Amino acid sequence: MLLGPSGLPAARRIQTVLPGCTVHGPRADLPADVLAYDELATLLHDLYRGARPIVGICAAGILIRILAPFAGDKRAGPPVVALAEDGSFAVPLLGGHRGANDLARAIAGALGGQAAITSAGDVRFGLALDRPPPGWSVRNPAAAKAVMSALLAGQEVALRREAGTTDWLVAGGARFGPAGECQVLVTDREAAGSDRCLVLHPKVLALGVGCERGIAAEELSELVVATLTEHELAPQAVACVVSIELKADEPAIHALAARLGVPARFLPAMRLEAETSRLANPSALVFQATGCHGVAEGAALAAVGPAGELLVAKTRSARATLAIGRAPAPIEVARIGRPQGRLALVGLGPGPAAWRTGEAEALLADAEDWVGYQGYLDLLGPRPGGEPVRHGFALGEEVARARKALDLAGVGRRVALISSGDAGIYGMAAAVLELLEQTEDAAWQRIALTISPGVSALQAAAARAGAPLGHDFCAISLSDLLTPWATIERRLQAAAAGDFVTVLYNPASRRRREGLVRALEILGSERGPATPVIHARNLGRAGEAIEVAELAGFDPAGVDMLSLIIVGARATRFLRTRHGGPLVYTPRGYRTPP
C-alpha cells in the first residue's frame, strides 16, 4: 500500500520477493497496474477483513490508528508490516507469529534494510512455538504462550519426542529438559495437549494409496480416517498422499489430499517395484496389473525413504488400499515423484494488465512454464518474484504450441498456455482439446486442465464503441487458412439473412483483401447503407484506434490482422454525443418511459 508515487520504488522491489502481490495507491500519477483507492481506511479495513497480508509503505502510526479496532485478538487477522519508504526498516505490527515476522525479514532482506522484530521468543531464542518451520503443525497453539513464558523466565520445560526431530527447538538455546511444569510433546499420534502442554506434529507420515478407477471420494476418505483413528495417528502429521503414476488423474486421490491439506505425489511403477523386498504383502496379481508388487505399501515406503518404516501395512476397503509409512524426520515432499501436471489455458484479454481477470493473473503467477506466441509473451513483461520458463513460438505454430504445453504438463509441470483475448474464442483451447481427443498419450490424459475465461476482442471493441452487441450477434473468421472460403461465405449469408450483428475476426491480411470486401457486400445486401460499422485496431495497446462509420462509406483499406470489424444489424444505431465521436448500440427491446 502506497501513500504516493515516492513509495513506488520500494513497492517494485517488494514484488520481487512477493510474487502475485497487488500494489494499491491513491488516485494520482501512478502506473496502470497500481490499483487506485479513494479512502485509505476503507482499503485497509477491507484488506484486513479479507485476511490479506498488508505491507504499508508509510509511518507505522498510520497503520496502527486505522487498524486499532481489529487488534484485539492476537490469534486472528492477517500479518501487517510497516515499511520505511527508503526500505531501511520493516516493522511487524500485527500477526508476528502468523507471518508478519517472516514477512518483515523477507522484505528487509530484499531491500537491504533491517527487520525490527520485537517478539520475545524470536529475539532471544529465534523461536516461534506457534509458528513452526515447514514440515510441522501445531495442535493447540493457545498453549504456546505459557510454554514460551516459562522459557523466557528461565524455567526448564519438558521436551518429549515420540516422532521426528527436535533440532529447531533446541538450536537457539531454549532451556528444555526431561521435566518441567510446562511441556512440549513432539508426536505423530493423536494427543490433545493442555494449556501447559504444547503438542507439535512433525509431518512424518506418508499415506500410500491404491484404488480402482472411478472410486467415490468418500470411500477412500473413510478408509483413511478409520485407519488413522484405529492406530491413533494424527492427521496433522500426514505429509503427503502418494500413489502410482497411472493414478495421477484419479479424482478421489486429489480429493483426499485436499481434505488433509497436503500434496498428492505420484511415482512410476519401476520406483514402487524397487521397494518389493520391504513389502509386507507383495502381490503377483498387482504386479500383473500395474508392474509393481504393491501400490499402497510401495508408495508409502518410497515416500519415507530407506530410513523410514512401514508403520501400517496394507489395509483395505471394497475398492481401495491404504498403507502408512513413517519417516525419521519431516518428509521433503518435493523430492517424491511428481505432482499431477496442470495445464491452464489463459486468455490475456486484448492487452493491458487491467483487462486480465484475477483468475488469469493467479494462473500466470502459479505457472512454472509460459507457452505462447512470442508477441503475447512479450506483452506480459517480467514476472515479479521469479521468472517462469518461457517457450515462444511464431505465428502459425499453434499446434506446436499446444503440443509443447501438453508435453510439459505431462511430466508434472504447471503450465500456462497463453492466448490473447479469450482462449476459447479463436484461441488455443480448441487446439488443445482436439489433440487430447486424438492422442493415446497416457501422460497427456492425466493432466489437470483449466480453461480460464478472458476478455475477448469482440467484448473490448464493443465496449470501446458503445453497446453494439446489445442484442443477438455472431462471430465469423474471414481467414481461409483452415476453413474453405465457400464455407465462410455460406456463414456470412446466414448471418445476413438472420439479421445478426456480425463480428469479423481476421478480416484481412496483406494477401487476403478480397474476402473483407465480399463480406461487406453480403452483409450489406440485407441491411441499409447507414448501418454502423466499427473498425477496432490494436485494442488496449499502443496505437489503439476506433473508427465508426456508415456501411456505405466504410473504407477497408486500413484493415489488417490487428483489426476487428463489427457490422451492425438493421436495428443498430448511432448515438450522437456532445463529447467525442458517436457511440453505437443495438437496442435490446426494453421499453423506457417517455
Side-chain angles (χ1 to χ4, degrees), residues 529-544:
T531 298
V533 176
I534 300 159
H535 174 201
R537 190 175 185 279
N538 263 338
L539 281 163
R541 305 171 193 171
E544 177 185 291

Side-chain angles (χ1 to χ4, degrees), residues 215-242:
I215 183 177
E218 294 78 7
E219 180 180 340
L220 184 57
S221 179
E222 287 169 3
L223 174 62
V224 168
V225 170
T227 304
L228 290 174
T229 302
E230 179 185 351
H231 293 273
E232 298 182 344
L233 295 171
Q236 297 92 331
V238 174
C240 53
V241 176
V242 191

Side-chain angles (χ1 to χ4, degrees), residues 39 48 140 193 209 231 338 357-358 393-394 432 443 489 544 549 555:
E39 294 289 339
Y48 195 91
N140 55 335
V209 298
H231 293 273
R338 64 190 187 196
T357 67
F393 289 81
V432 167
E489 187 160 321
E544 177 185 291
D555 182 1

